[in-house]
Amino acid sequence: MNQNEAPDKLSENLSGKAPDGLTGEAAESLLDEARCEINGIDREMAELFCRRMAAVRKVAQYKAAHGLPITDRAREEEVIRRNAALIGDEAIRPDYIAFLRETMEVSKEYQRRLLAAKETSAGGTPGRWETVMRLREESYPITVERGALARAGEYFAPDRKALIVTDSGVPEEYAKRVAAGCREAHLVSIPEGEASKSPETLFLLIDAMMQNNFTRGDCAIAVGGGVVGDLTGFAASCYMRGIDFYNIPTTLLSQVDSSIGGKTAIDYGGIKNIVGAFYQPKGVLIDPDVLKTLPERQIAAGLAEAIKMAVCFDRELFERIEASNAEQILDEIIIGSLRIKQAVVEKDAKEAGLRRALNFGHTIGHGIEAERGGELLHGECVALGMLPMCGGEVRRRLLRIYEKVGLPCRFDGDVSRAIAAAAHDKKAEDGGIRVITVERVGEFEMKRETLAGLESRARAVWGN
Ligand code: GLY
């Protein structure tokens, strides 16, 4: 029996139609024979399946080590074309293509499970949590490890120039520790605060790279909070049309949120983040030890962004934060938040849909930030901005957490002015502002809201 005859015979038999000239016992005996043959093939396939999955495991290890995405559609299509051509019988070639596609999905699911196990198992490096943001050719590793700061330079720039950007609020020794591992480090410290997200500071960084003859093979490393990360990432995206950028966030807010996902920007014309780019880092290294020197108010402000993610996406994490002393479970909160953000960004890196949920609390939050002229921290404004956008029960639970961690519960400023400032926010569009609301913990809705609607929500909560 040649390869192409077997399936024909099987299909005839399995459809209940005996081949010409065969009836009764002869047909049944052919059926038995075919079933035996299938059993044998299944046994061989079980062996082949184990061998295939062992090879898939090696591919998963390689991809994780090199920050490569699990899905590579171009390669999948090429493999399918190549293998489909091996099937001589056109009638069954589409079935084989479907089978190959299924097999690939099974393999990818296995790779995802292996990666997830690696993230959580004690089999990885103890005390280190690692994952890969899977964004095809823009994929990158994210590592959380206490004490990692000391090996950062060596990790990112052992053999090239590195512009290390930090700010006056970050202990000097952090950037110096990173610089110590670099072959040639150029340190720039900018003034702490949002005012540094300016064209002037951007060009200060560009000048520093030009004066030190940085080429496209060199890199920029941010050692600081959200301002340093946004600015350095944007400078890296512009310099010579893009050099490698690494982020070492040193505030809780940047560790849980802004350091991953590739949002980089400066402010201009009084508008936050109006000039910017999606520019993914090549790696993110998070050392929770650096939080020891962070003032309690900054920790609380960082928690606001973690609470934002939990309240929208993860009821369990929210309940953990509710039930615990947050400072004692900071690693868990950081990793929990990174997992949420990673899943969101992998689905929607450019904020075309799902990622908008990460702006929960930011519309009124930005209005409050503008109205209070920098008096409140960004995270504090986001915390306040979430309150009018929640159902009553969620708001009560949020307020209990705010009291416990030291976040503001009331906005005492001018609501109308804050809402007017929110209208300048870049998310304002004709027909209203896109907002996120949360009626139940772990679930969110995207809506459009008029300015009047936003104002009445805020007044209903604060009255002023
Ligand atoms: N911080 C919100 C975002 O990265 O989309």
Side-chain angles (χ1 to χ4, degrees), residues 149 152-153 156 163-179 187-190 220-229 232 245-251 254 285 290:
L149 201 68
F156 294 145
L163 181 80
I164 300 183
V165 185
T166 189
D167 77 28
S168 53
V170 178
E172 265 176 50
E173 78 207 63
Y174 293 172
K176 284 190 177 150
R177 233 180 277 168
V178 175
L187 247 97
V188 177
S189 180
I190 58 172
I221 306 178
V223 182
V227 167
V228 172
T232 311
F245 162 55
Y246 298 93
N247 209 336
I248 305 177
T250 60
T251 61
S254 56
L285 196 59
V290 301

Side-chain angles (χ1 to χ4, degrees), residues 257-258 260-261 263 305 308 341 351 355 358-359 362:
D257 188 4
S258 64
I260 71 165
K263 279 190 178 176
E305 295 281 9
K308 167 200 80 178
K341 180 137 184 196
E351 203 173 300
R355 187 166 177 177
L358 299 180
N359 293 327
H362 281 62

